Amino acid sequence: MSVRPKIGESVIDNETIAKLFDETADLLEITSSDRANPFRVRAYRNGARSVRSLSQQLASSIRDANFNLTDIPGIGKDLAGKILAILETGHFSLLDDLRRQVPASTRDLLNVPNIGPKRARVLQHDLHIHSLDALYAAASEHKLSACKGFGPTSEQKILAGLAHIQLTSGRMLVSEAKALAAAVTKHMKSKAAVPGLGDLVIAGSYRRCKETIGDLDLVVTCSNAKPVMDRLATFDSGSMILGRGETKMAIRLKSGRQIDLRVVPERSLGAALIYFTGSKAHNIVLRKIAADRGLKLNEYGLYKNDEWIAGSTEHQVYRALGLAWIPPELREATGEIELAATNRLPHLIESCDIFGDLHLHTNVTDGRGSLAEMVVAAQRRHYKFIAITDHSRRVTMANGLDETRLRRHWHAIDQMQQKVSDIVLLKGIEIDILEGGKLDLSKGVFAEADWVVGAIHYGQRQSRMQMTKRIVNAMRTGLLNAIAHPTGRLIGQRPPYELDLEEVFRVASDCHCALEINGQPTRLDLGEAALNLAAKYPVRFVVNSDAHAPEELAFMDFAVAQARRGGLEKHRVLNACALTELRSILKYTSSRAQSA
Ligand code: DGT
Ligand code: CA
Ligand code: CA
């Protein structure tokens, strides 16, 4: 067959083929009436599933003359032809036709959590909704609930889903931004590539430690801007210069990410940092305060009658405006300026305040590091204690522990403790709070644990009432020391569960159950909004990495940054306490831990 050699060189992987089949099924459902052939839709869904489950890449299997696509369960002659077309060209004509029939803006509807193809079709046909904007307008005006299959609850869920998409689309996770920031900093500073290069600070939302980052804003001091800009232009071979002036430049990298650069004289560094750190709303208030004092503030400095009076450091500018220096994480114009004017800013928690990490996994469940490797990683961070909190049995995907395996794991932790004297190893568990509200293992086991974290991994689509009751009742058992990632959101993938957070905060305070601030870049949970809401309850927090590998202990820094954005001081954070104090707070402290 003449096509075989071409297909044999294909680099298209099984996942891509499966995604195209899923898309075909979605679009068939959107375009067809109720009476349309449901078997056809199902055939594509089954086809996608089969292709995904193959252990061999089709692009390579196809090179074998004895290999027959139709031998794969769920793949008939029709789908086999489509697979060949995809391997050869990357697409097939039915899908092309469907994509022409359904505009891209309507396809965007499928990215909203809680909207599948059936609902997208109803929205399109009954309400003439063809875009996310139109969906947002209809949901906020309660027009959806009039429509078949949509109630007030689904309206609320759709609004939450839309907010989530807006928060994350086209933005970087903090981990990606951190890696990019490190790479660009290294490039700019390496081998004295830029003569006379002074300070280099990444300002913008990156410095404010926002949950997601749009682009990086580099502020650099140098007497000559040209070599700085020339150097940035060579950072990425596939980058495009979006704009370049005398002292500023913007580039788009091959990856699509953007970097803005501003070169300023040394005496403007403070003013430029304030300006480019933002937020815009914070800057606007500062400029107003300056104007009220007869001053002018811009990125070059603070001026009185065109005479420069401050600007080389941020402290200098804030002081000249009658304000204490404000940590970047708080610069959102949400009350921090009033606090700075009256010297009432919180003393935000810092990474060096953290004595230990209370949420770590090992390769006994879904971690990628052994117990010994995780302990070494913790020692490198100079922790005084850690809790090993592997999953309980319900999390089958993560090889969760039953009671026998858990006890064996704890025994191994005891043995490890014999070998290390500079760090206390707490025997913990991340226990699932089951759909019905019960805990995943029997109470007898908990009595032996030093540290118990409750978490939800299944049944996340329950109603607000069910979800709240589930968490609240679990806390009321008195068996939990903390709730891990309390809202379950996954940035870019899943909005928070429906939850009465204030009720959770009330009960958590009553039951002395701490709430986690989880540092996994996709979680950062509790999120910013929840932390603001928590401020008025006497809740205690734990700031954790939830590391699944030794290098992930560094996610603690993201958790601390999140805590700082929430205005937290160290006395509200359990693992910013020394071990003796932590122990006095813990309800279940084993005799081993007491004697260690
Ligand atoms: P991002 O990149 O979307 O995550 O958020 P930011 O805050 O980094 O925003 P970006 O990159 O557009 O601008 C960086 C900072 O520059 C911003 O936080 C405040 C300042 N800035 C930008 N445009 C304006 C403006 O029109 N007025 C004022 N006052 N400040 C601005
Ligand atoms: Ca930015
Ligand atoms: Ca920018």
Side-chain angles (χ1 to χ4, degrees):
M1 261 168 44
S2 64
V3 291
R4 284 254 160 156
K6 257 201 256 169
I7 295 174
E9 290 153 21
S10 176
V11 290
I12 290 174
D13 64 359
N14 294 352
E15 181 56 30
T16 307
I17 299 170
K19 277 196 177 129
L20 293 179
F21 281 177
D22 274 334
E23 186 184 345
T24 308
D26 286 347
L27 296 183
L28 279 170
E29 270 195 272
I30 292 185
T31 50
S32 51
S33 71
D34 279 337
R35 272 166 282 126
N37 187 352
F39 297 109
R40 201 158 170 229
V41 174
R42 207 170 308 145
Y44 280 96
R45 296 237 186 268
N46 289 341
R49 204 171 312 126
S50 289
V51 170
R52 268 201 187 94
S53 67
L54 295 173
S55 52
Q56 277 264 334
Q57 288 296 328
L58 285 171
S60 97
S61 312
I62 206 85
R63 277 183 226 136
D64 178 351
N66 296 322
F67 178 79
N68 250 326
L69 280 168
T70 47
D71 290 345
I72 302 171
I75 304 294
K77 243 171 90 184
D78 184 36
L79 260 58
K82 306 275 176 356
I83 291 177
L84 289 178
I86 295 171
L87 287 173
E88 195 179 352
T89 66
H91 60 112
F92 54 99
S93 57
L94 170 68
L95 179 58
D96 298 342
D97 286 346
L98 286 165
R99 282 176 173 169
R100 273 192 290 275
Q101 283 177 55
V102 183
S105 63
T106 307
R107 280 183 257 145
D108 285 346
L109 297 177
L110 294 173
N111 295 328
V112 181
N114 291 300
I115 296 192
K118 282 206 185 69
R119 286 184 146 189
R121 184 155 61 86
V122 174
L123 292 170
Q124 191 180 240
H125 282 253
D126 298 4
L127 294 174
H128 307 290
I129 290 172
H130 299 285
S131 70
L132 294 178
D133 286 342
L135 178 65
Y136 178 78
S140 7
E141 291 162 21
H142 306 297
K143 287 187 179 152
L144 298 186
S145 39
C147 198
K148 192 177 145 213
F150 292 88
T153 319
S154 49
E155 227 167 39
Q156 251 177 16
K157 283 189 179 164
I158 285 168
L159 281 173
L162 282 169
H164 190 71
I165 287 178
Q166 199 189 15
L167 171 76
T168 57
S169 71
R171 300 178 63 81
M172 286 176 263
L173 292 177
V174 285
S175 44
E176 183 189 347
K178 185 179 169 186
L180 182 59
V184 73
T185 304
K186 184 167 167 220
H187 175 79
M188 297 302 290
K189 289 185 170 173
S190 78
K191 298 187 208 113
V194 184
L197 183 84
D199 291 288
L200 184 157
V201 182
I202 308 213
S205 53
Y206 181 79
R207 186 159 175 249
R208 302 200 314 280
C209 300
K210 277 203 62 141
E211 296 179 339
T212 60
I213 311 295
D215 68 354
L216 294 188
D217 303 279
L218 259 66
V219 177
V220 173
T221 58
C222 196
S223 51
N224 186 359
K226 185 175 177 300
V228 185
M229 296 194 284
D230 290 346
R231 180 67 183 166
L232 182 63
T234 64
F235 172 52
D236 175 88
S237 59
S239 71
M240 189 168 96
I241 296 182
L242 300 173
R244 180 169 172 160
E246 292 283 301
T247 58
K248 62 179 171 186
M249 181 160 109
I251 63 170
R252 178 154 62 232
L253 306 175
K254 204 162 42 189
S255 63
R257 301 307 185 197
Q258 218 171 296
I259 301 179
D260 287 348
L261 166 70
R262 211 39 197 259
V263 186
V264 298
E266 239 169 75
R267 76 163 192 176
S268 295
L269 180 63
L273 280 181
I274 290 179
Y275 185 92
F276 292 107
T277 299
S279 65
K280 208 164 151 177
H282 177 87
N283 291 351
I284 290 171
V285 182
L286 291 187
R287 278 206 301 269
K288 166 118 193 357
I289 292 176
D292 290 347
R293 296 179 164 228
L295 306 172
K296 202 180 100 193
L297 177 65
N298 61 27
E299 63 263 53
Y300 297 103
L302 186 65
Y303 296 84
K304 185 170 194 170
N305 304 326
D306 290 335
E307 187 198 342
W308 182 95
I309 58 165
S312 55
T313 67
E314 286 191 335
H315 282 81
Q316 202 179 63
V317 177
Y318 280 110
R319 200 180 317 122
L321 294 174
L323 302 171
W325 178 82
I326 301 175
E329 294 89 338
L330 297 180
R331 300 184 193 171
E332 299 292 341
T334 49
E336 77 281 5
I337 292 171
E338 292 76 1
L339 295 177
T342 47
N343 254 321
R344 288 180 299 137
L345 282 168
H347 296 284
L348 298 182
I349 184 165
E350 295 179 46
S351 285
C352 61
D353 294 326
I354 299 294
F355 285 107
D357 197 327
L358 293 170
H359 190 164
L360 298 174
H361 294 267
T362 72
N363 58 8
V364 166
T365 63
D366 62 346
R368 294 183 297 285
S370 66
L371 173 61
E373 288 164 337
M374 297 303 278
V375 171
V376 169
Q379 287 170 315
R380 289 216 175 102
R381 293 182 70 91
H382 306 291
Y383 286 154
K384 297 281 175 268
F385 55 84
I386 53 171
I388 301 294
T389 52
D390 274 302
H391 290 286
S392 66
R393 64 185 166 193
R394 174 70 171 95
V395 193
T396 42
M397 261 171 42
N399 190 22
L401 300 166
D402 59 20
E403 289 166 20
T404 312
R405 285 180 58 222
L406 177 60
R407 286 203 168 98
R408 206 182 308 146
H409 192 31
W410 282 348
H411 181 63
I413 295 172
D414 275 338
Q415 285 180 321
M416 178 67 67
Q417 181 73 85
Q418 306 290 321
K419 295 187 216 155
V420 289
S421 57
D422 57 342
I423 185 164
V424 171
L425 311 180
L426 299 171
K427 292 177 290 187
I429 175 87
E430 176 176 4
I431 190 151
D432 256 58
I433 304 169
L434 303 176
E435 285 90 329
K438 288 222 166 67
L439 296 172
D440 193 18
L441 298 173
S442 73
K443 195 172 164 176
V445 188
F446 292 105
E448 301 162 38
D450 299 320
W451 176 255
V452 183
V453 191
I456 286 179
H457 293 97
Y458 294 90
Q460 306 183 349
R461 292 197 171 186
Q462 290 179 337
S463 70
R464 180 181 164 94
M465 217 172 73
Q466 281 173 310
M467 217 51 179
T468 309
K469 220 168 105 188
R470 188 170 162 189
I471 294 184
V472 159
N473 286 349
M475 291 194 288
R476 288 221 164 100
T477 60
L479 295 165
L480 303 181
N481 296 113
I483 300 283
H485 39 77
T487 77
R489 66 111 171 239
L490 288 177
I491 296 176
Q493 299 163 47
R494 189 172 74 204
Y497 336 117
E498 298 284 318
L499 199 59
D500 179 349
L501 271 174
E502 299 201 69
E503 176 67 4
V504 171
F505 296 149
R506 263 190 296 274
V507 177
S509 327
D510 280 357
C511 301
H512 304 284
C513 181
L515 295 178
E516 183 179 67
I517 299 174
N518 184 299
Q520 289 276 329
T522 47
R523 289 196 182 274
L524 297 180
D525 182 9
L526 296 170
E528 237 171 274
L531 281 169
N532 290 335
L533 208 59
K536 58 179 192 271
Y537 296 91
V539 199
R540 291 272 236 161
F541 299 92
V542 259
V543 171
N544 287 329
S545 71
D546 190 3
H548 283 66
E551 67 277 7
E552 289 187 4
L553 270 87
F555 290 167
M556 177 62 86
D557 298 338
F558 299 136
V560 171
Q562 183 80 345
R564 288 172 62 86
R565 279 185 71 80
L568 290 188
E569 300 190 315
K570 67 177 177 186
H571 66 87
R572 294 199 59 188
V573 176
L574 275 187
N575 51 328
C577 298
L579 184 65
T580 39
E581 199 184 332
L582 174 68
R583 278 197 179 129
S584 69
I585 298 165
L586 294 185
K587 284 190 220 137
Y588 292 90
T589 307
S590 75
S591 53
R592 181 201 59 85
Q594 275 163 1
S595 61

